[in-house]
Amino acid sequence: DIQMTQSPSSLSASVGDRVTITCRASQSISNYLNWYQQKPGKAPKLLIYTASSLQSGVPSRFSGSGSGTDFTLTISSLLPEDFATYYCQHRHSYPVTFGQGTRLETK
Amino acid sequence: EVQLVESGGGLVQPGGSLRLSCAASGFTFNNYWMSWVRQAPGKGLEWVANINQDGSDKFYVDSVKGRFTVSRDNAGNSLYLQMNSLRDEDTAVYYCARATESVTTFQHWGRGTLVTVSS
């Protein structure tokens, strides 16, 4: 199985900050990488698919990059509603797996 | 508007069985792969199983193979997960998810149903 490792596991930041979350795959997954946002008690929400494509309706302050084994999710200027947990997920092969999550907290 | 509504969760003893349902609306159900994804309390996300449009292809995570069965009823716009031989570690919120055309990109999610396995 392909393991997905996110860093950091938690992150404290302030409104207006630029934030980057990293996801590393245990083997090359090309660009078969998605990012989700989850708020407490809610279902996940798809933000980015195929590493860098912005899902419809998602604000442009969210962006994704990377290929092979190393990927990043960047939020260019944090808004209060962005404090949440973020997960990467590969779809290279079965079983698809998620990273352990990055909890983004207010400083 | 796409809607996915899970039901069937609850408290069950280890070794017991439970059948989850997901009622879909707002889209042409038989055009999409569907998945179950779970989340143990305070933990991350784990993909469990998926099924193709006509139910002829199914995939499972190793930890549930032989115990869980995914199925669908296209006439009734419903997805199911039959869970047998339940274990403590199956305790989780179970989400129904609709894929995009890429099969394992989860574009729409239900609110989830909680399954608790405990004696």
Side-chain angles (χ1 to χ4, degrees), chain B residues 3-78:
Chain B
Q3 286 201 321
L4 300 168
V5 180
E6 302 92 338
S7 60
L11 175 63
V12 60
Q13 292 188 337
S17 297
L18 215 53
R19 189 194 196 205
L20 305 184
S21 300
C22 171
S25 61
F27 64 101
T28 305
F29 183 69
N30 61 10
N31 281 356
Y32 293 91
W33 282 75
M34 297 293 297
S35 282
W36 290 97
V37 178
R38 68 184 178 183
Q39 185 169 36
K43 302 297 184 182
L45 300 166
E46 180 183 39
W47 170 80
V48 174
N50 67 354
I51 185 169
N52 73 340
Q53 290 90 335
D54 66 4
S56 60
D57 272 341
K58 304 174 185 182
F59 296 90
Y60 300 91
V61 68
D62 280 352
S63 60
V64 309
K65 281 180 183 175
R67 300 189 300 122
F68 290 11
T69 302
V70 61
S71 62
R72 64 192 295 162
D73 172 10
N74 285 340
N77 291 340
S78 293

Side-chain angles (χ1 to χ4, degrees), chain A residues 2-28:
Chain A
I2 298 173
Q3 308 303 317
M4 307 301 293
T5 304
Q6 290 181 230
S7 60
S9 295
S10 64
L11 176 59
S12 295
S14 300
V15 171
D17 284 354
R18 179 184 181 89
V19 166
T20 297
I21 298 168
T22 297
C23 178
R24 175 164 288 175
S26 60
Q27 66 185 72
S28 177

Side-chain angles (χ1 to χ4, degrees), chain A residues 34-37 45-46 85-87 89 98, chain B residues 105-106 109:
Chain A
N34 303 321
W35 288 98
Y36 300 85
Q37 176 194 66
K45 173 186 175 182
L46 177 64
T85 300
Y86 293 85
Y87 294 93
Q89 173 237 329
F98 293 83
Chain B
T105 294
F106 310 119
W109 300 66

Side-chain angles (χ1 to χ4, degrees), chain B residues 81-93:
Chain B
L81 186 67
Q82 177 66 44
M83 304 186 296
N84 299 331
S85 303
L86 283 160
R87 306 168 179 167
D88 291 351
E89 56 264 33
D90 295 318
T91 293
V93 173

